[in-house]
């Protein structure tokens, strides 16, 4: 059995805990590797290494740090197919989707190539007579990233590209379900010229996470995962004096108005609901259809479902792969059963004719879902799209704003005025106008509202730079004996 271990101080380090977890091949349902789970002492070792590497990396000049990012950009680009196949072998997503993930992750490395510009502070000459004031951004020290299974390449890149470029050293605790990409990226970082110890990967579960949350030498934690864990990470980390950003789950609604192009809306709903088997935090899981177009829209979505090719990533034509584990597949399937019992209508049941062997489920479509039903309220995180019928734009908006989550949303309409009003009123962090998956480009920042984000700073982009730096303000005067005098008054400018 293939064993997967940690990456500490520029090399693979075998785990010593004796505790392991299984890494599955979701397309076959077979175990393909055994992952070492770290002890608290192993986490301490990684933190000590990162702490020792920090002073030199922090002092490395900006051009040199940018150069490492430029080299990394080239290496990831040259290895994009290998990274994509590595991640789809453990995650199950099809190759085209995996390549898209790598490309969107790479954008963040490209953004970090601009670090000399991004680290600029401000300068005010002559703030007082002979006195200048300026602000500088400095790295925090050792920072950690804890990432989910659904984007094993992109989400780590959201975090470590900016963190390292800012001069921090980094500990990554990837998802235990698809851990191999993180080690491949560690090797590429070394090849790019990052000194040993600046980037470390510690595999593990709650034991490793809890040690990172408690370790006095970890200054900040960037987390992406489900809402209950995000809340726990935020509360525990901040209680321990750390800076924390913790992104959580989602239930993204797409509001379709009667004037929308219904074919375009149906294409978008199908793509955004079933892409990556619905295991995306920006997946559309609820379509809000205004009554007058609801029947037509449901029909158009239903018609498109049989054409979706479900199967393993090894077949290049497939469009949707399996779910991450057998347990998760069964949980998602349980919602289809539950929906009928709750009074919703199962239009397409994804349990019918799902490919055998792996953790497959076909796309499901459920109509007449309502708040209060589990199928509507819960984040299902699978290929299950529900439709809720609403009387008006106002009712649709109210449902979105009353939802626990506020990650992404979309409106489909031809009316620019209504779209603008929606953008103004909606209580959600990322909004699409005729765009179903509005993941911001890397020079904006990614983050939801409400239970989708705990913390103040969004992920990557300008917020990422803010998160991984702290500001120092210097007030400076060059001595001029001609203006020197004893003055016990409070310094003032007028
Ligand atoms: P998860 O919360 O189960 O795991 C995320 C990370 O936390 C993993 O590294 C895991 O090892 C660790 N973890 C799990 N349980 C823990 C515990 N009890 N104590 C400490 N650490 C623990 O999430 P997942 O299943 O890997 O990913 C899917 C979830 O992530 C979904 O809810 C999805 O919406 C969310 N997600 C959100 C975003 C976003 O940007 N908001 C992006 C991707 C995924």
């Amino acid at each position: 059995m293939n064993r997967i271990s940690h990456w500490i101080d520029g090399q693979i380090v075998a785990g010593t805990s004796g505790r392991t977890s299984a890494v599955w091949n979701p397309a076959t349902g077979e175990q393909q590797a055994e992952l070492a789970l770290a002890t608290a002492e192993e986490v301490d070792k990684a933190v000590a290494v990162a702490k020792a590497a920090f002073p030199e990396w922090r002092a490395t000049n900006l051009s040199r740090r940018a150069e490492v990012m430029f080299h990394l950009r080239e290496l990831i680009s040259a290895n994009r197919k290998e990274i994509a196949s590595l991640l789809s072998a453990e995650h199950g997503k099809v190759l085209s989707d995996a390549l898209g993930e790598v490309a969107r992750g790479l954008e963040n490395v490209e953004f970090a190539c601009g670090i000399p510009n991004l680290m600029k502070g401000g300068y005010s000459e002559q703030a007082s007579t002979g006195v200048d004031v300026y602000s500088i951004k400095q790295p925090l020290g050792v920072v950690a990233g804890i990432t989910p299974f659904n984007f094993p390449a992109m989400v780590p890149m959201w975090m470590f590209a900016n963190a390292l470029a800012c001069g921090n050293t980094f500990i990554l605790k990837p998802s235990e379900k698809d851990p191999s990409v993180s080690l491949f990226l560690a090797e590429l970082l070394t090849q790019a010229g990052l000194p040993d110890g600046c980037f470390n990967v510690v595999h593990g579960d709650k034991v490793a996470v809890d040690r990172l949350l408690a370790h006095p030498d970890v200054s900040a934690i960037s987390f992406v995962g489900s809402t209950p864990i995000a809340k726990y990470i935020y509360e525990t980390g901040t209680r321990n004096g750390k800076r924390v950003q913790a992104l959580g789950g989602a239930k993204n609604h797409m509001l379709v108005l009667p004037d929308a192009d219904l074919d375009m809306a149906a294409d978008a709903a199908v793509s955004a609901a079933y892409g990556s088997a619905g295991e995306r935090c920006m997946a559309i899981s609820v379509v809000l259809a205004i009554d007058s177009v609801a029947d037509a829209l449901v029909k158009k979505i239903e018609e498109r479902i049989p054409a979706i090719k479900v199967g393993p990533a090894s077949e290049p034509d497939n469009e949707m792969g399996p779910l991450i584990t057998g347990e998760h597949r069964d949980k998602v399937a349980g919602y289809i059963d539950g929906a009928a019992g709750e009074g919703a209508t199962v239009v397409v049941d994804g349990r019918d004719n799902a490919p055998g062997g792996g953790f497959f489920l076909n796309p499901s479509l459920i109509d007449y879902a309502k708040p209060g039903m589990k199928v509507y309220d819960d984040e299902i995180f699978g290929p299950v799209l529900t439709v809720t019928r609403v009387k008006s734009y106002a009712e649709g908006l109210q449902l979105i704003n009353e939802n626990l989550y506020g990650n992404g949303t979309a409106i489909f309409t031809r009316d620019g005025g209504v779209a603008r009003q929606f953008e103004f009123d909606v209580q959600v962090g990322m909004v699409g106008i005729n765009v179903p998956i509005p993941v911001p480009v890397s020079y904006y920042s990614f983050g939801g509202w409400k239970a989708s984000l705990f913390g103040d700073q969004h992920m990557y982009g300008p917020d990422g730079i803010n998160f991984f730096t702290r500001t120092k303000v210097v007030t400076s005067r060059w001595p001029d004996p001609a203006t020197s005098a004893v003055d016990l008054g409070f310094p003032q400018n007028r």
Side-chain angles (χ1 to χ4, degrees):
M1 181 70 61
N2 180 22
R3 285 172 176 270
I4 302 172
S5 295
H6 317 297
W7 177 275
I8 299 174
D9 210 8
Q11 58 187 329
I12 295 281
V13 174
T16 57
S17 70
R19 291 191 311 122
T20 57
S21 77
V23 178
W24 301 98
N25 178 343
T28 63
E30 284 159 10
Q31 185 178 347
Q32 57 176 328
E34 200 167 61
L35 178 73
L37 300 175
T39 59
E41 293 69 33
E42 286 169 319
V43 174
D44 288 356
K45 169 91 194 324
V47 174
V49 160
K51 189 181 177 187
F54 175 63
E56 196 183 321
W57 179 240
R58 191 212 146 172
T60 301
N61 70 53
L62 283 164
S63 300
R64 176 73 197 117
R65 297 210 303 259
E67 193 184 22
V68 171
M69 288 298 139
F70 275 106
H71 283 158
L72 181 65
R73 194 245 161 245
E74 291 309 307
L75 287 164
I76 292 174
S77 184
N79 287 282
R80 63 176 70 207
K81 285 200 183 124
E82 191 162 354
I83 300 170
S85 27
L86 195 57
L87 84 85
S88 79
E90 288 181 349
H91 176 284
K93 64 176 73 173
V94 296
L95 220 53
S96 52
D97 193 25
L99 281 165
E101 165 173 359
V102 177
R104 292 305 301 263
L106 188 55
E107 277 184 8
N108 294 276
V109 178
E110 289 166 347
F111 179 77
C113 289
I115 198 64
N117 204 31
L118 298 166
M119 289 282 276
K120 275 183 186 165
Y123 196 100
S124 301
E125 185 188 56
Q126 200 72 345
S128 187
T129 309
V131 173
D132 306 322
V133 178
Y134 51 98
S135 64
I136 40 187
K137 288 175 187 283
Q138 297 192 333
L140 306 176
V142 180
V143 298
I146 300 164
T147 53
F149 80 81
N150 65 328
F151 286 105
M154 182 182 77
V155 172
M157 286 191 256
W158 281 3
M159 299 172 180
F160 73 67
N162 285 332
L164 291 170
C166 286
N168 301 283
T169 54
F170 198 90
I171 315 278
L172 175 63
K173 205 305 283 172
S175 168
E176 61 277 30
K177 299 192 175 96
D178 41 19
S180 293
V181 171
S182 56
L183 298 172
F184 192 84
L185 291 171
E187 282 183 25
L188 294 188
L189 276 158
T190 301
Q191 285 175 34
L194 186 75
D196 290 349
C198 292
F199 181 80
N200 305 279
V201 180
V202 175
H203 295 293
D205 54 5
K206 187 169 165 52
V207 173
V209 171
D210 282 347
R211 184 57 191 148
L212 287 169
L213 287 170
H215 201 301
D217 291 333
V218 174
S219 302
I221 302 220
S222 189
F223 172 89
V224 176
S226 59
T227 288
I229 311 296
K231 191 161 184 282
Y232 169 74
I233 300 280
Y234 183 77
E235 288 173 356
T236 314
T238 51
R239 198 180 321 119
N240 292 339
K242 300 184 194 318
R243 184 179 289 192
V244 182
Q245 56 177 183
L247 277 62
K251 191 83 186 179
N252 306 316
H253 292 50
M254 168 173 159
L255 177 57
V256 181
L257 300 189
D259 70 338
D261 179 324
L262 289 190
D263 282 305
M264 187 180 156
D267 285 343
V270 167
S271 312
Y274 305 124
S276 205
E279 291 174 328
R280 290 182 184 141
C281 68
M282 290 292 276
I284 290 294
S285 47
V286 180
V287 165
L288 297 172
I290 306 279
D291 278 333
S292 58
V293 290
D295 284 344
L297 183 61
V298 169
K299 190 155 176 288
K300 284 178 188 294
I301 295 173
E302 184 186 358
E303 282 167 3
R304 282 160 171 76
I305 290 176
I308 298 172
K309 297 193 188 77
V310 181
S314 51
E315 313 258 329
D317 281 356
N318 285 336
E319 297 167 297
M320 190 183 117
L323 292 164
I324 186 72
T325 58
E327 194 187 353
H328 186 56
R329 190 258 325 268
D330 295 346
K331 185 173 168 214
V332 173
Y335 280 100
I336 308 168
D337 244 349
E342 289 177 306
T345 305
V346 179
V347 181
V348 179
D349 188 331
R351 293 168 299 180
D352 295 342
N353 306 316
F359 309 136
F360 288 98
L361 198 60
N362 282 333
S364 294
L365 179 63
I366 298 186
D367 199 357
Y368 297 100
K370 288 196 176 85
M373 296 178 180
K374 278 177 78 58
V375 75
Y376 176 87
D377 292 341
D378 291 3
E379 181 186 38
I380 300 173
F381 220 56
V384 178
L385 177 63
T386 62
V387 177
T388 299
R389 294 168 177 242
V390 290
K391 290 191 179 46
S392 61
Y393 162 84
E395 190 189 345
L397 177 71
Q398 187 181 346
L399 281 180
I400 299 172
N401 286 349
E402 283 174 0
N403 198 264
L404 174 68
Y405 301 101
N407 212 42
T409 189
I411 186 167
F412 276 69
T413 178
R414 288 192 173 96
D415 186 329
V418 176
R420 188 183 179 281
Q421 194 60 42
F422 180 75
E423 156 207 314
F424 187 79
D425 288 332
V426 78
Q427 302 281 310
V428 172
M430 292 172 282
V431 180
I433 296 173
N434 299 311
V435 171
I437 309 182
V439 174
V441 287
S442 65
Y443 40 96
Y444 284 80
S445 298
F446 181 109
W449 287 13
K450 301 188 274 185
S452 297
L453 172 76
F454 301 89
D456 306 312
Q457 300 282 344
H458 288 194
M459 190 75 59
Y460 69 73
D463 274 20
I465 301 297
N466 287 339
F467 183 76
F468 288 118
T469 55
R470 56 188 161 182
T471 304
K472 190 179 272 180
V473 179
V474 180
T475 303
S476 154
R477 165 189 281 151
W478 286 98
D480 175 0
T483 61
S484 179
V486 173
D487 179 357
L488 272 62
F490 195 66
Q492 54 169 311
N493 303 329
R494 293 160 219 242

